[in-house]
Amino acid sequence: MMRTPARMADGRELFYFDDPGSPERVAPPDDRDLPAVQTGSTMRYDVLTGEWVTIAAHRMDRTFLPPADHCPLDPTRPGREPTEIPAADYDVVVFENRFPSFARHVADVPPEVDGNPLWQQRPANGRCEVVCFTSDHDAAFAYLPTERVRTVIEAWADRTAELSALDGIEEVFPFENRGLEIGVTLQHPHGQIYAYPFVTPRTGQLVTRAAEHRERTGRDLLQDVLDGERKAGTRVVLDGEHWTAYVPAAARWPVEAHLVPHRPVPDLAALDDAERDELAVLYPDLLRRLEGFFGEDTVSADPRPPYIAGWHQAPVHAGRDLTRLHLQLFSLRRSPGKLKYLAGSESGAGAWILDVTPERIAQRLRDAS
């Protein structure tokens, strides 16, 4: 894998990641006349939940579902308007988001809202990056060549290491949103990486539970979960030499699976070559099983189900030894043409209700091969 850094017209960083054997790349200049990126994100502390809420009002003006021939993630081709990527072709590209929820050097804000100590306020100093998986606008991650998936993994690992080293970053979260139902605003196959200035609520809760488990038993919580799922076998979907995919015993979504390395590594950057090689095979396999979960009778305009795929990594600092890398993959679709809506119980009370057993989900994913 070759990595070539570049700068965009407004000063943002861009990185080309090329497949092994690709010719040496010379990054072309970005000749667009772009205004400086304007960010004004702030974080406000919710005293009722103990969580930070980020306010990024400038994102209201971000690009929304442009025509295919005006996609900003396509390569810049002769005779067409320039895109975010100056090259005429690419394998994998990562660049700073022009409409970031978190950014470096955000202006200071008063430490309290309305001068009231109940409501702490901070500038949302972090970083948001876009990861383009391929130059092919009509492709899907599940069907990328293994070599390309391996390059994406290298890009994730590279960015995880660099973002984790930035001052003030507490957690790095690579993810892919797919499908209009998820709220995707660009159809080109891509994901994102958020570098948060705080530990996210899910990770914080996991660290707390893992600490309690270790104090009570002396053991690693996520290792015990992985061992228990592999021993039971009823919810295991894929079991490789280095990775296992399973539906969690207390799954929340109509389709949900976790992909976990057997070795307790904190993040993608810590994976060795053998683990990365197997991941490049098993992860697309799991995505294809998700696509086949509902069979051929879908009535959706897009037969590919919407999904969120998030790589949960250990915090950069506090609690890093209490959790480990794992993928959470889930879909909002509960049956062909129907979505699971997070209504009163889930959205209002935070109490989840699942309409199918996790064991049935796992069986259907196994059958979808």
Side-chain angles (χ1 to χ4, degrees), residues 58-365:
H58 61 278
R59 284 175 54 79
M60 288 291 289
D61 297 325
R62 68 188 185 273
T63 307
F64 181 77
L65 296 177
D69 59 349
H70 287 76
C71 177
L73 305 185
D74 284 353
T76 295
R77 298 268 167 79
R80 295 175 60 175
E81 66 181 279
T83 72
E84 290 279 70
I85 302 164
D89 200 8
Y90 65 83
D91 293 339
V92 177
V93 164
V94 180
F95 62 88
E96 287 184 81
N97 197 324
R98 183 163 176 79
F99 303 96
S101 299
F102 304 92
R104 307 299 288 169
H105 313 301
V106 178
D108 285 337
V109 293
E112 299 167 351
V113 179
D114 300 332
N116 191 325
L118 273 177
W119 303 311
Q120 299 176 47
Q121 184 171 239
R122 302 285 186 273
N125 280 305
R127 179 146 156 158
C128 296
E129 298 183 342
V130 177
V131 184
C132 298
F133 304 137
T134 171
S135 61
D136 183 354
H137 183 88
D138 298 315
F141 198 115
Y143 300 98
L144 294 177
T146 301
E147 183 181 65
R148 176 59 49 77
V149 177
R150 187 67 165 76
T151 301
V152 173
I153 294 168
E154 290 296 322
W156 283 335
D158 176 279
R159 303 314 303 146
T160 291
E162 286 209 358
L163 294 173
S164 296
L166 295 177
D167 290 342
I169 299 304
E170 298 295 335
E171 183 177 338
V172 178
F173 182 56
F175 62 95
E176 180 191 2
N177 296 330
R178 194 200 181 283
L180 297 178
E181 299 94 330
I182 302 297
V184 169
T185 58
L186 296 173
Q187 297 283 44
H188 193 108
H190 73 287
Q192 300 180 65
I193 305 176
Y194 274 25
Y196 295 100
F198 52 80
V199 175
T200 61
R202 185 187 188 279
T203 299
Q205 187 177 40
L206 178 55
V207 167
T208 298
R209 298 291 298 152
E212 293 171 352
H213 185 80
R214 181 169 293 179
E215 183 177 355
R216 185 174 65 255
T217 67
R219 297 194 302 272
D220 184 300
L221 175 59
L222 287 178
Q223 186 65 53
D224 283 358
V225 169
L226 175 61
D227 292 345
E229 291 290 2
R230 296 184 75 194
K231 181 179 180 180
T234 53
R235 292 174 296 277
V236 170
V237 179
L238 297 167
D239 200 13
E241 180 181 355
H242 303 288
W243 296 81
T244 292
Y246 60 84
V247 177
R252 300 183 176 202
W253 299 94
V255 190
E256 181 176 358
H258 293 185
L259 182 58
V260 184
H262 297 167
R263 189 169 63 95
V265 298
D267 55 28
L268 288 155
L271 295 173
D272 62 29
D273 284 341
E275 290 162 336
R276 298 182 191 198
D277 287 343
E278 186 174 86
L279 178 59
V281 175
L282 292 189
Y283 180 39
D285 186 346
L286 185 60
L287 291 177
R288 290 192 295 270
R289 289 171 187 271
L290 174 63
E291 292 205 356
F293 185 87
F294 297 106
E296 300 296 331
D297 58 343
T298 179
V299 296
S300 170
D302 183 353
R304 293 171 176 167
Y307 66 74
I308 294 174
W311 284 102
H312 297 281
Q313 309 192 90
V316 175
H317 299 111
R320 187 167 175 82
D321 63 327
L322 290 169
T323 184
R324 65 198 286 175
L325 173 71
H326 62 284
L327 171 80
Q328 181 189 28
L329 172 68
F330 62 93
S331 178
L332 306 179
R333 185 175 290 173
R334 61 183 177 85
S335 62
K338 298 179 181 178
L339 300 179
K340 175 181 176 61
Y341 292 101
L342 304 187
S345 187
E346 290 89 356
S347 293
W352 287 73
I353 300 171
L354 186 62
D355 300 329
V356 61
T357 66
E359 291 74 20
R360 176 59 178 153
I361 297 172
Q363 184 62 57
R364 289 183 65 178
L365 284 170

